[in-house]
Amino acid sequence: MTRTGIRHVLVLCALLLAALVVVSFVRGGQLVSDIPGSVGAGTSASPSGDGRVAASVERVVDGDTIVVVLDGTSQRVRLLNIDTPESVDPDREVECLGPEAADYLEGLLPAGSEVTLAFDVERRDRYDRLLAAVFTPDGTLVNAQVAAAGFADVVVFGANDRF
């Protein structure tokens, strides 16, 4: 294949990847930026609705897991629909950008921060962590912030695709 042919293939791959990213952020005909509380939203709205609960951040575990105080008890929360590099798993090496992802999340959610948790279809994972979207008081979807900052891949596990 010629250099020009390789360039065309690379450009086509880049366009397809960009299209996949856009499609992954489209939900119900709305771009994520049109949904209140999401990255790029013109206005931020306080999350509300059935099943949402208030909690206080106790600590950040890694880039996609936090511990919150909920109803007086500590609960591990896995942020829905993002996956960050590993940084604390004792059975795995620390991955590139793992510590930075954890530091970034800690900057967004320092200990004592008030948050609202919103849930999807499956409420707990196989490690008994709560699976939730995490919103700050101004309505910012923290899960999306971590992904937008480049520290997480956007993923869907099981039926949980709401966030």
Side-chain angles (χ1 to χ4, degrees):
M1 185 178 283
T2 66
R3 286 184 186 217
T4 303
I6 292 172
R7 266 192 228 119
H8 287 136
V9 169
L10 290 174
V11 168
L12 179 61
C13 288
L15 290 172
L16 287 173
L17 181 60
L20 285 172
V21 169
V22 169
V23 168
S24 72
F25 283 108
V26 173
R27 180 175 181 265
Q30 290 182 310
L31 290 175
V32 168
S33 62
D34 295 333
I35 299 171
S38 64
V39 176
T43 60
S44 55
S46 184
S48 63
D50 296 327
R52 294 184 182 210
V53 296
S56 176
V57 175
E58 187 173 291
R59 68 185 174 90
V60 169
V61 175
D62 63 16
D64 53 28
T65 307
I66 61 175
V67 176
V68 300
V69 176
L70 179 64
D71 296 328
T73 62
S74 293
Q75 295 279 329
R76 279 186 164 235
V77 176
R78 172 68 160 78
L79 278 65
L80 275 172
N81 302 116
I82 63 168
D83 188 36
T84 61
E86 292 301 325
S87 63
V88 295
D89 187 335
D91 298 327
R92 296 177 66 181
E93 288 188 30
V94 172
E95 295 178 338
C96 182
L97 293 180
E100 291 84 356
D103 289 345
Y104 181 78
L105 184 57
E106 193 165 359
L108 294 175
L109 299 175
S113 298
E114 296 300 318
V115 295
T116 300
L117 307 178
F119 306 99
D120 203 349
V121 176
E122 299 168 15
R123 198 156 174 142
R124 292 197 179 264
D125 69 5
R126 64 182 175 170
Y127 304 107
D128 201 36
R129 296 177 295 190
L130 282 172
L131 300 170
V134 178
F135 292 92
T136 60
D138 70 356
T140 300
L141 176 56
V142 174
N143 311 43
Q145 289 291 111
V146 175
F151 291 113
D153 290 325
V154 177
V155 295
V156 175
F157 293 113
N160 291 327
D161 63 359
R162 182 174 171 201
F163 303 101

